[in-house]
Short mmCIF file of all heavy atoms in Angstrom, two decimals:
data_model
loop_
_atom_site.label_atom_id
_atom_site.label_comp_id
_atom_site.label_asym_id
_atom_site.label_seq_id
_atom_site.Cartn_x
_atom_site.Cartn_y
_atom_site.Cartn_z
N MET A 1 0.85 -1.17 -0.03
CA MET A 1 0.00 -0.02 0.02
C MET A 1 0.92 1.21 0.01
O MET A 1 1.82 1.28 0.83
CB MET A 1 -0.89 0.02 1.20
CG MET A 1 -1.83 -1.18 1.31
SD MET A 1 -2.82 -1.25 2.86
CE MET A 1 -1.48 -1.72 4.01
N VAL A 2 0.63 2.13 -0.90
CA VAL A 2 1.43 3.35 -0.97
C VAL A 2 0.53 4.54 -0.67
O VAL A 2 -0.54 4.70 -1.25
CB VAL A 2 2.04 3.51 -2.36
CG1 VAL A 2 2.93 4.77 -2.43
CG2 VAL A 2 2.87 2.28 -2.75
N PHE A 3 0.99 5.33 0.30
CA PHE A 3 0.27 6.53 0.72
C PHE A 3 1.10 7.80 0.36
O PHE A 3 2.31 7.68 0.17
CB PHE A 3 0.09 6.53 2.24
CG PHE A 3 -0.78 5.42 2.78
CD1 PHE A 3 -0.21 4.17 3.04
CD2 PHE A 3 -2.06 5.59 2.98
CE1 PHE A 3 -0.97 3.11 3.52
CE2 PHE A 3 -2.88 4.54 3.49
CZ PHE A 3 -2.33 3.32 3.76
N LEU A 4 0.42 8.93 0.34
CA LEU A 4 1.14 10.20 0.17
C LEU A 4 1.08 10.85 1.58
O LEU A 4 0.06 10.86 2.22
CB LEU A 4 0.38 11.05 -0.87
CG LEU A 4 1.12 12.31 -1.31
CD1 LEU A 4 2.39 11.94 -2.11
CD2 LEU A 4 0.19 13.11 -2.20
N ASN A 5 2.26 11.40 1.97
CA ASN A 5 2.25 12.10 3.28
C ASN A 5 2.12 13.61 3.10
O ASN A 5 2.06 14.09 1.99
CB ASN A 5 3.50 11.72 4.11
CG ASN A 5 4.80 12.15 3.55
OD1 ASN A 5 4.89 13.02 2.68
ND2 ASN A 5 5.88 11.56 3.99
N GLN A 6 2.14 14.32 4.21
CA GLN A 6 1.96 15.76 4.17
C GLN A 6 3.05 16.46 3.39
O GLN A 6 2.86 17.56 2.87
CB GLN A 6 1.90 16.33 5.59
CG GLN A 6 0.65 16.01 6.35
CD GLN A 6 0.67 16.44 7.79
OE1 GLN A 6 1.70 16.25 8.49
NE2 GLN A 6 -0.42 16.97 8.27
N ALA A 7 4.23 15.87 3.30
CA ALA A 7 5.35 16.49 2.58
C ALA A 7 5.33 16.16 1.11
O ALA A 7 6.20 16.57 0.36
CB ALA A 7 6.70 16.01 3.19
N GLY A 8 4.31 15.42 0.69
CA GLY A 8 4.14 15.06 -0.71
C GLY A 8 5.01 13.88 -1.14
O GLY A 8 5.26 13.63 -2.35
N LYS A 9 5.50 13.10 -0.18
CA LYS A 9 6.34 11.94 -0.44
C LYS A 9 5.53 10.66 -0.32
O LYS A 9 4.62 10.58 0.47
CB LYS A 9 7.53 11.89 0.53
CG LYS A 9 8.41 13.11 0.51
CD LYS A 9 9.22 13.18 -0.77
CE LYS A 9 10.15 14.37 -0.66
NZ LYS A 9 10.98 14.52 -1.82
N ASN A 10 5.97 9.64 -1.07
CA ASN A 10 5.30 8.33 -0.95
C ASN A 10 5.78 7.60 0.26
O ASN A 10 6.99 7.66 0.64
CB ASN A 10 5.62 7.49 -2.17
CG ASN A 10 4.82 7.93 -3.40
OD1 ASN A 10 3.82 8.64 -3.33
ND2 ASN A 10 5.29 7.53 -4.55
N VAL A 11 4.87 6.94 0.95
CA VAL A 11 5.15 6.07 2.11
C VAL A 11 4.54 4.74 1.82
O VAL A 11 3.35 4.60 1.56
CB VAL A 11 4.56 6.65 3.42
CG1 VAL A 11 4.80 5.71 4.56
CG2 VAL A 11 5.12 8.04 3.71
N THR A 12 5.40 3.68 1.83
CA THR A 12 4.97 2.34 1.48
C THR A 12 4.84 1.49 2.77
O THR A 12 5.73 1.47 3.56
CB THR A 12 5.94 1.66 0.51
OG1 THR A 12 6.06 2.43 -0.66
CG2 THR A 12 5.47 0.26 0.14
N ILE A 13 3.67 0.84 2.92
CA ILE A 13 3.46 -0.10 4.00
C ILE A 13 3.23 -1.46 3.32
O ILE A 13 2.34 -1.58 2.48
CB ILE A 13 2.23 0.31 4.87
CG1 ILE A 13 2.53 1.68 5.51
CG2 ILE A 13 1.93 -0.76 5.89
CD1 ILE A 13 1.36 2.25 6.24
N THR A 14 3.99 -2.45 3.74
CA THR A 14 3.85 -3.79 3.14
C THR A 14 3.36 -4.77 4.16
O THR A 14 3.66 -4.64 5.37
CB THR A 14 5.21 -4.29 2.56
OG1 THR A 14 6.17 -4.34 3.61
CG2 THR A 14 5.72 -3.35 1.50
N LEU A 15 2.69 -5.75 3.71
CA LEU A 15 2.18 -6.83 4.52
C LEU A 15 2.58 -8.17 3.90
O LEU A 15 2.41 -8.39 2.67
CB LEU A 15 0.65 -6.86 4.61
CG LEU A 15 0.02 -5.59 5.17
CD1 LEU A 15 -1.49 -5.61 5.01
CD2 LEU A 15 0.37 -5.46 6.67
N ASP A 16 3.24 -9.06 4.68
CA ASP A 16 3.61 -10.34 4.13
C ASP A 16 2.40 -11.28 4.07
O ASP A 16 1.52 -11.20 4.94
CB ASP A 16 4.64 -11.00 5.08
CG ASP A 16 5.98 -10.30 5.02
OD1 ASP A 16 6.28 -9.59 4.04
OD2 ASP A 16 6.77 -10.43 5.97
N ASN A 17 2.32 -12.04 3.02
CA ASN A 17 1.32 -13.09 2.86
C ASN A 17 -0.12 -12.57 2.99
O ASN A 17 -0.87 -13.03 3.86
CB ASN A 17 1.53 -14.23 3.86
CG ASN A 17 2.91 -14.80 3.71
OD1 ASN A 17 3.38 -15.07 2.59
ND2 ASN A 17 3.61 -15.00 4.81
N PRO A 18 -0.55 -11.60 2.14
CA PRO A 18 -1.93 -11.19 2.20
C PRO A 18 -2.92 -12.35 1.79
O PRO A 18 -2.47 -13.26 1.12
CB PRO A 18 -2.00 -10.05 1.17
CG PRO A 18 -0.90 -10.36 0.21
CD PRO A 18 0.21 -11.04 1.04
N ARG A 19 -4.10 -12.23 2.23
CA ARG A 19 -5.09 -13.23 1.88
C ARG A 19 -5.22 -13.31 0.32
O ARG A 19 -5.15 -12.25 -0.36
CB ARG A 19 -6.49 -12.84 2.42
CG ARG A 19 -6.64 -13.05 3.87
CD ARG A 19 -8.10 -12.86 4.31
NE ARG A 19 -9.02 -12.39 3.30
CZ ARG A 19 -9.79 -11.28 3.40
NH1 ARG A 19 -9.75 -10.58 4.49
NH2 ARG A 19 -10.62 -10.96 2.48
N SER A 20 -5.38 -14.48 -0.18
CA SER A 20 -5.48 -14.64 -1.63
C SER A 20 -6.81 -14.11 -2.17
O SER A 20 -6.91 -13.85 -3.39
CB SER A 20 -5.31 -16.11 -2.00
OG SER A 20 -6.32 -16.90 -1.43
N ASP A 21 -7.83 -13.96 -1.34
CA ASP A 21 -9.16 -13.51 -1.81
C ASP A 21 -9.43 -12.06 -1.46
O ASP A 21 -10.57 -11.61 -1.58
CB ASP A 21 -10.23 -14.41 -1.23
CG ASP A 21 -10.32 -14.35 0.31
OD1 ASP A 21 -9.34 -13.89 0.93
OD2 ASP A 21 -11.33 -14.76 0.84
N VAL A 22 -8.40 -11.30 -1.04
CA VAL A 22 -8.63 -9.91 -0.72
C VAL A 22 -9.04 -9.11 -1.94
O VAL A 22 -8.54 -9.37 -3.07
CB VAL A 22 -7.39 -9.27 -0.03
CG1 VAL A 22 -6.22 -9.13 -1.02
CG2 VAL A 22 -7.72 -7.97 0.62
N THR A 23 -9.98 -8.17 -1.79
CA THR A 23 -10.48 -7.39 -2.89
C THR A 23 -9.88 -5.99 -2.86
O THR A 23 -9.45 -5.52 -1.78
CB THR A 23 -11.99 -7.29 -2.87
OG1 THR A 23 -12.40 -6.51 -1.77
CG2 THR A 23 -12.65 -8.66 -2.87
N THR A 24 -9.95 -5.29 -3.98
CA THR A 24 -9.48 -3.91 -4.04
C THR A 24 -10.28 -3.06 -3.06
O THR A 24 -9.73 -2.26 -2.35
CB THR A 24 -9.63 -3.38 -5.46
OG1 THR A 24 -8.85 -4.18 -6.33
CG2 THR A 24 -9.18 -1.94 -5.59
N ALA A 25 -11.60 -3.26 -3.03
CA ALA A 25 -12.46 -2.50 -2.13
C ALA A 25 -12.04 -2.65 -0.66
O ALA A 25 -12.03 -1.67 0.10
CB ALA A 25 -13.90 -2.85 -2.33
N GLN A 26 -11.68 -3.86 -0.27
CA GLN A 26 -11.25 -4.12 1.12
C GLN A 26 -9.97 -3.39 1.45
O GLN A 26 -9.84 -2.85 2.51
CB GLN A 26 -11.10 -5.61 1.36
CG GLN A 26 -12.43 -6.38 1.40
CD GLN A 26 -12.23 -7.90 1.36
OE1 GLN A 26 -11.26 -8.41 0.78
NE2 GLN A 26 -13.14 -8.62 2.00
N VAL A 27 -9.05 -3.45 0.53
CA VAL A 27 -7.75 -2.73 0.78
C VAL A 27 -7.98 -1.22 0.79
O VAL A 27 -7.43 -0.52 1.65
CB VAL A 27 -6.71 -3.11 -0.29
CG1 VAL A 27 -5.41 -2.34 -0.09
CG2 VAL A 27 -6.45 -4.62 -0.29
N GLN A 28 -8.82 -0.70 -0.11
CA GLN A 28 -9.11 0.72 -0.08
C GLN A 28 -9.74 1.15 1.21
O GLN A 28 -9.40 2.17 1.80
CB GLN A 28 -10.00 1.12 -1.26
CG GLN A 28 -9.27 1.09 -2.59
CD GLN A 28 -10.19 1.43 -3.75
OE1 GLN A 28 -11.39 1.21 -3.73
NE2 GLN A 28 -9.60 1.98 -4.79
N THR A 29 -10.62 0.34 1.74
CA THR A 29 -11.31 0.63 3.01
C THR A 29 -10.28 0.63 4.13
O THR A 29 -10.29 1.54 5.00
CB THR A 29 -12.43 -0.41 3.30
OG1 THR A 29 -13.40 -0.29 2.23
CG2 THR A 29 -13.07 -0.17 4.62
N ALA A 30 -9.37 -0.32 4.12
CA ALA A 30 -8.36 -0.40 5.15
C ALA A 30 -7.43 0.81 5.06
O ALA A 30 -7.06 1.44 6.09
CB ALA A 30 -7.49 -1.65 5.01
N MET A 31 -7.11 1.26 3.86
CA MET A 31 -6.25 2.44 3.68
C MET A 31 -6.98 3.69 4.16
O MET A 31 -6.39 4.57 4.78
CB MET A 31 -5.77 2.52 2.23
CG MET A 31 -4.85 1.47 1.77
SD MET A 31 -4.40 1.56 0.04
CE MET A 31 -3.18 2.87 0.09
N ASP A 32 -8.24 3.81 3.87
CA ASP A 32 -9.04 4.92 4.33
C ASP A 32 -9.05 5.01 5.86
O ASP A 32 -8.95 6.11 6.44
CB ASP A 32 -10.48 4.85 3.78
CG ASP A 32 -10.57 5.12 2.29
OD1 ASP A 32 -9.66 5.76 1.72
OD2 ASP A 32 -11.58 4.71 1.68
N LEU A 33 -9.13 3.86 6.49
CA LEU A 33 -9.12 3.82 7.95
C LEU A 33 -7.76 4.24 8.50
O LEU A 33 -7.70 4.98 9.51
CB LEU A 33 -9.47 2.47 8.46
CG LEU A 33 -10.93 2.03 8.44
CD1 LEU A 33 -11.12 0.56 8.75
CD2 LEU A 33 -11.72 2.87 9.38
N VAL A 34 -6.71 3.81 7.89
CA VAL A 34 -5.34 4.20 8.30
C VAL A 34 -5.22 5.73 8.26
O VAL A 34 -4.71 6.38 9.17
CB VAL A 34 -4.27 3.53 7.43
CG1 VAL A 34 -2.92 4.18 7.59
CG2 VAL A 34 -4.24 2.04 7.70
N ILE A 35 -5.74 6.34 7.18
CA ILE A 35 -5.66 7.80 7.02
C ILE A 35 -6.59 8.48 8.02
O ILE A 35 -6.15 9.39 8.72
CB ILE A 35 -6.01 8.18 5.56
CG1 ILE A 35 -4.94 7.65 4.61
CG2 ILE A 35 -6.15 9.71 5.45
CD1 ILE A 35 -5.35 7.69 3.16
N ALA A 36 -7.82 8.04 8.10
CA ALA A 36 -8.78 8.71 8.97
C ALA A 36 -8.43 8.65 10.45
O ALA A 36 -8.65 9.59 11.17
CB ALA A 36 -10.22 8.07 8.71
N ARG A 37 -7.87 7.52 10.86
CA ARG A 37 -7.52 7.33 12.30
C ARG A 37 -6.10 7.75 12.59
O ARG A 37 -5.67 7.59 13.75
CB ARG A 37 -7.83 5.93 12.71
CG ARG A 37 -9.31 5.58 12.63
CD ARG A 37 -9.59 4.21 13.13
NE ARG A 37 -11.02 3.93 13.08
CZ ARG A 37 -11.54 2.75 13.27
NH1 ARG A 37 -10.77 1.73 13.61
NH2 ARG A 37 -12.83 2.56 13.12
N ASN A 38 -5.39 8.17 11.56
CA ASN A 38 -4.02 8.63 11.72
C ASN A 38 -3.17 7.56 12.46
O ASN A 38 -2.46 7.83 13.42
CB ASN A 38 -3.94 9.97 12.52
CG ASN A 38 -2.66 10.71 12.24
OD1 ASN A 38 -1.99 10.52 11.27
ND2 ASN A 38 -2.32 11.58 13.15
N ILE A 39 -3.30 6.31 11.98
CA ILE A 39 -2.68 5.20 12.59
C ILE A 39 -1.15 5.26 12.47
O ILE A 39 -0.41 4.88 13.39
CB ILE A 39 -3.20 3.88 12.02
CG1 ILE A 39 -4.69 3.77 12.40
CG2 ILE A 39 -2.42 2.68 12.49
CD1 ILE A 39 -5.44 2.61 11.74
N PHE A 40 -0.64 5.68 11.34
CA PHE A 40 0.78 5.75 11.11
C PHE A 40 1.18 7.18 10.77
O PHE A 40 0.41 7.93 10.21
CB PHE A 40 1.24 4.83 9.94
CG PHE A 40 0.97 3.37 10.16
CD1 PHE A 40 -0.09 2.77 9.50
CD2 PHE A 40 1.77 2.63 11.00
CE1 PHE A 40 -0.35 1.41 9.69
CE2 PHE A 40 1.48 1.25 11.21
CZ PHE A 40 0.42 0.66 10.54
N THR A 41 2.41 7.50 11.10
CA THR A 41 2.99 8.78 10.69
C THR A 41 4.33 8.51 10.02
O THR A 41 4.83 7.36 10.09
CB THR A 41 3.12 9.76 11.88
OG1 THR A 41 3.44 11.06 11.38
CG2 THR A 41 4.19 9.28 12.87
N SER A 42 4.86 9.47 9.39
CA SER A 42 6.16 9.27 8.73
C SER A 42 7.03 10.53 8.99
O SER A 42 6.56 11.51 9.58
CB SER A 42 5.91 9.13 7.18
OG SER A 42 5.48 10.34 6.63
N THR A 43 8.27 10.45 8.54
CA THR A 43 9.14 11.59 8.74
C THR A 43 8.62 12.85 7.99
O THR A 43 9.01 13.96 8.37
CB THR A 43 10.60 11.30 8.30
OG1 THR A 43 10.53 10.89 6.93
CG2 THR A 43 11.19 10.21 9.16
N GLY A 44 7.80 12.66 7.02
CA GLY A 44 7.20 13.74 6.24
C GLY A 44 5.80 14.09 6.75
O GLY A 44 5.09 14.77 6.05
N GLY A 45 5.44 13.63 7.92
CA GLY A 45 4.15 13.96 8.51
C GLY A 45 3.13 12.90 8.33
O GLY A 45 3.45 11.75 7.91
N ASP A 46 1.90 13.24 8.63
CA ASP A 46 0.76 12.30 8.55
C ASP A 46 0.54 11.82 7.16
O ASP A 46 0.83 12.48 6.14
CB ASP A 46 -0.48 12.96 9.07
CG ASP A 46 -0.46 13.31 10.50
OD1 ASP A 46 0.40 12.76 11.24
OD2 ASP A 46 -1.24 14.16 10.95
N LEU A 47 -0.05 10.62 7.02
CA LEU A 47 -0.49 10.09 5.74
C LEU A 47 -1.77 10.78 5.34
O LEU A 47 -2.69 10.87 6.19
CB LEU A 47 -0.66 8.58 5.80
CG LEU A 47 0.54 7.76 6.35
CD1 LEU A 47 0.22 6.30 6.36
CD2 LEU A 47 1.79 8.07 5.55
N VAL A 48 -1.84 11.29 4.12
CA VAL A 48 -3.04 12.13 3.76
C VAL A 48 -3.85 11.56 2.61
O VAL A 48 -4.99 11.95 2.49
CB VAL A 48 -2.56 13.56 3.43
CG1 VAL A 48 -1.99 14.26 4.65
CG2 VAL A 48 -1.55 13.61 2.29
N SER A 49 -3.28 10.64 1.80
CA SER A 49 -4.09 10.11 0.73
C SER A 49 -3.51 8.78 0.23
O SER A 49 -2.35 8.45 0.49
CB SER A 49 -4.19 11.08 -0.47
OG SER A 49 -2.93 11.26 -1.06
N LYS A 50 -4.35 8.01 -0.49
CA LYS A 50 -3.92 6.76 -1.11
C LYS A 50 -3.19 7.08 -2.42
O LYS A 50 -3.66 7.97 -3.14
CB LYS A 50 -5.12 5.88 -1.41
CG LYS A 50 -5.93 5.43 -0.20
CD LYS A 50 -7.12 4.59 -0.60
CE LYS A 50 -8.12 5.48 -1.33
NZ LYS A 50 -9.51 5.28 -0.96
N GLN A 51 -2.14 6.40 -2.63
CA GLN A 51 -1.36 6.60 -3.85
C GLN A 51 -1.41 5.40 -4.76
O GLN A 51 -1.52 5.54 -5.98
CB GLN A 51 0.07 6.96 -3.46
CG GLN A 51 0.90 7.58 -4.51
CD GLN A 51 0.44 9.00 -4.86
OE1 GLN A 51 -0.61 9.48 -4.41
NE2 GLN A 51 1.20 9.67 -5.72
N ASP A 52 -1.26 4.19 -4.21
CA ASP A 52 -1.23 2.99 -5.07
C ASP A 52 -1.49 1.75 -4.21
O ASP A 52 -1.26 1.77 -2.99
CB ASP A 52 0.14 2.86 -5.71
CG ASP A 52 0.22 1.93 -6.91
OD1 ASP A 52 -0.90 1.52 -7.40
OD2 ASP A 52 1.31 1.65 -7.40
N ILE A 53 -1.95 0.69 -4.83
CA ILE A 53 -2.13 -0.61 -4.20
C ILE A 53 -1.59 -1.66 -5.15
O ILE A 53 -1.91 -1.69 -6.34
CB ILE A 53 -3.65 -0.93 -3.96
CG1 ILE A 53 -4.31 0.13 -3.08
CG2 ILE A 53 -3.79 -2.32 -3.34
CD1 ILE A 53 -5.81 0.02 -3.04
N LYS A 54 -0.73 -2.50 -4.60
CA LYS A 54 -0.12 -3.61 -5.42
C LYS A 54 -0.02 -4.85 -4.56
O LYS A 54 0.26 -4.81 -3.37
CB LYS A 54 1.30 -3.25 -5.87
CG LYS A 54 1.40 -2.11 -6.85
CD LYS A 54 2.80 -1.88 -7.25
CE LYS A 54 2.88 -0.70 -8.18
NZ LYS A 54 4.25 -0.33 -8.51
N ILE A 55 -0.27 -5.97 -5.20
CA ILE A 55 0.05 -7.26 -4.62
C ILE A 55 1.17 -7.85 -5.48
O ILE A 55 1.02 -7.99 -6.69
CB ILE A 55 -1.16 -8.24 -4.58
CG1 ILE A 55 -2.24 -7.67 -3.63
CG2 ILE A 55 -0.72 -9.62 -4.16
CD1 ILE A 55 -3.45 -8.54 -3.51
N ILE A 56 2.27 -8.05 -4.85
CA ILE A 56 3.46 -8.56 -5.56
C ILE A 56 3.63 -10.04 -5.22
O ILE A 56 3.77 -10.37 -4.04
CB ILE A 56 4.72 -7.76 -5.18
CG1 ILE A 56 4.50 -6.30 -5.57
CG2 ILE A 56 5.94 -8.36 -5.85
CD1 ILE A 56 5.60 -5.40 -5.08
N ASP A 57 3.63 -10.88 -6.20
CA ASP A 57 3.79 -12.27 -6.06
C ASP A 57 5.13 -12.69 -6.60
O ASP A 57 5.42 -12.48 -7.80
CB ASP A 57 2.65 -13.04 -6.78
CG ASP A 57 2.67 -14.54 -6.58
OD1 ASP A 57 3.37 -15.00 -5.66
OD2 ASP A 57 2.03 -15.22 -7.35
N SER A 58 5.99 -13.26 -5.77
CA SER A 58 7.31 -13.68 -6.26
C SER A 58 7.52 -15.12 -5.91
O SER A 58 7.07 -15.65 -4.88
CB SER A 58 8.43 -12.80 -5.66
OG SER A 58 8.46 -12.94 -4.28
N THR A 59 8.24 -15.82 -6.79
CA THR A 59 8.55 -17.20 -6.59
C THR A 59 10.05 -17.39 -6.64
O THR A 59 10.71 -16.83 -7.50
CB THR A 59 7.89 -18.06 -7.70
OG1 THR A 59 6.49 -17.83 -7.67
CG2 THR A 59 8.17 -19.57 -7.52
N THR A 60 10.56 -18.17 -5.74
CA THR A 60 12.03 -18.44 -5.76
C THR A 60 12.23 -19.92 -6.04
O THR A 60 11.66 -20.79 -5.44
CB THR A 60 12.60 -18.16 -4.34
OG1 THR A 60 12.37 -16.77 -4.04
CG2 THR A 60 14.10 -18.42 -4.31
N ASP A 61 13.02 -20.19 -7.05
CA ASP A 61 13.39 -21.55 -7.46
C ASP A 61 14.86 -21.73 -7.05
O ASP A 61 15.73 -21.16 -7.66
CB ASP A 61 13.22 -21.81 -8.93
CG ASP A 61 11.76 -21.77 -9.35
OD1 ASP A 61 10.88 -22.15 -8.54
OD2 ASP A 61 11.47 -21.31 -10.47
N ASP A 62 15.10 -22.57 -6.06
CA ASP A 62 16.44 -22.87 -5.62
C ASP A 62 17.05 -23.87 -6.58
O ASP A 62 16.67 -25.05 -6.58
CB ASP A 62 16.41 -23.38 -4.19
CG ASP A 62 17.80 -23.50 -3.54
OD1 ASP A 62 18.78 -23.16 -4.27
OD2 ASP A 62 17.92 -23.95 -2.41
N LEU A 63 18.02 -23.44 -7.36
CA LEU A 63 18.54 -24.29 -8.40
C LEU A 63 19.83 -25.05 -8.02
O LEU A 63 20.25 -25.95 -8.74
CB LEU A 63 18.85 -23.47 -9.66
CG LEU A 63 17.62 -22.73 -10.27
CD1 LEU A 63 18.05 -21.92 -11.43
CD2 LEU A 63 16.54 -23.75 -10.66
N TYR A 64 20.41 -24.69 -6.86
CA TYR A 64 21.62 -25.39 -6.47
C TYR A 64 21.74 -25.37 -4.94
O TYR A 64 21.57 -24.37 -4.34
CB TYR A 64 22.84 -24.70 -7.10
CG TYR A 64 24.18 -25.28 -6.66
CD1 TYR A 64 24.60 -26.48 -7.15
CD2 TYR A 64 24.93 -24.66 -5.67
CE1 TYR A 64 25.82 -27.03 -6.78
CE2 TYR A 64 26.14 -25.19 -5.26
CZ TYR A 64 26.57 -26.36 -5.83
OH TYR A 64 27.75 -26.92 -5.41
N ASP A 65 22.13 -26.52 -4.40
CA ASP A 65 22.46 -26.65 -3.00
C ASP A 65 23.85 -27.26 -2.93
O ASP A 65 24.06 -28.35 -3.52
CB ASP A 65 21.48 -27.55 -2.25
CG ASP A 65 20.13 -26.82 -1.99
OD1 ASP A 65 20.12 -25.60 -1.70
OD2 ASP A 65 19.11 -27.49 -2.14
N PRO A 66 24.78 -26.61 -2.26
CA PRO A 66 26.15 -27.20 -2.17
C PRO A 66 26.09 -28.49 -1.43
O PRO A 66 25.28 -28.68 -0.53
CB PRO A 66 26.93 -26.14 -1.43
CG PRO A 66 25.97 -25.24 -0.76
CD PRO A 66 24.69 -25.37 -1.54
N PRO A 67 27.00 -29.41 -1.76
CA PRO A 67 27.10 -30.70 -1.06
C PRO A 67 27.35 -30.46 0.44
O PRO A 67 28.08 -29.57 0.81
CB PRO A 67 28.19 -31.47 -1.67
CG PRO A 67 28.62 -30.70 -2.92
CD PRO A 67 28.04 -29.31 -2.77
N ALA A 68 26.75 -31.33 1.26
CA ALA A 68 26.94 -31.21 2.70
C ALA A 68 28.24 -31.78 3.19
O ALA A 68 28.91 -32.49 2.57
CB ALA A 68 25.79 -31.94 3.42
#
């Protein structure tokens, strides 16, 4: 989740392992609550608006293990 703070800078909050069935509306509602309740602050001040929402899915394939 990317927010804009009072200084006009992006602030990113990440969550490990989000639910696979989470909807955009649910994330937007959560972000609105973070802003409205002033739950987090940053060095550039309070979070003032939503900037972006992304779910990043990465896979790691371990191709080599050294002999024991």
Side-chain angles (χ1 to χ4, degrees):
M1 298 175 287
V2 182
F3 297 86
L4 192 66
N5 67 16
Q6 289 174 316
K9 303 289 184 179
N10 286 341
V11 176
T12 302
I13 298 174
T14 61
L15 301 171
D16 290 338
N17 303 314
R19 284 189 356 235
S20 61
D21 63 343
V22 69
T23 67
T24 300
Q26 290 170 328
V27 178
Q28 287 179 331
T29 299
M31 292 177 78
D32 289 338
L33 284 172
V34 166
I35 294 166
R37 294 184 182 171
N38 201 23
I39 294 172
F40 298 105
T41 190
S42 69
T43 56
D46 296 340
L47 305 180
V48 295
S49 65
K50 297 179 293 223
Q51 197 69 352
D52 197 11
I53 301 170
K54 293 180 182 176
I55 294 179
I56 299 171
D57 183 16
S58 63
T59 302
T60 302
D61 292 326
D62 189 2
L63 301 177
Y64 176 77
D65 286 321

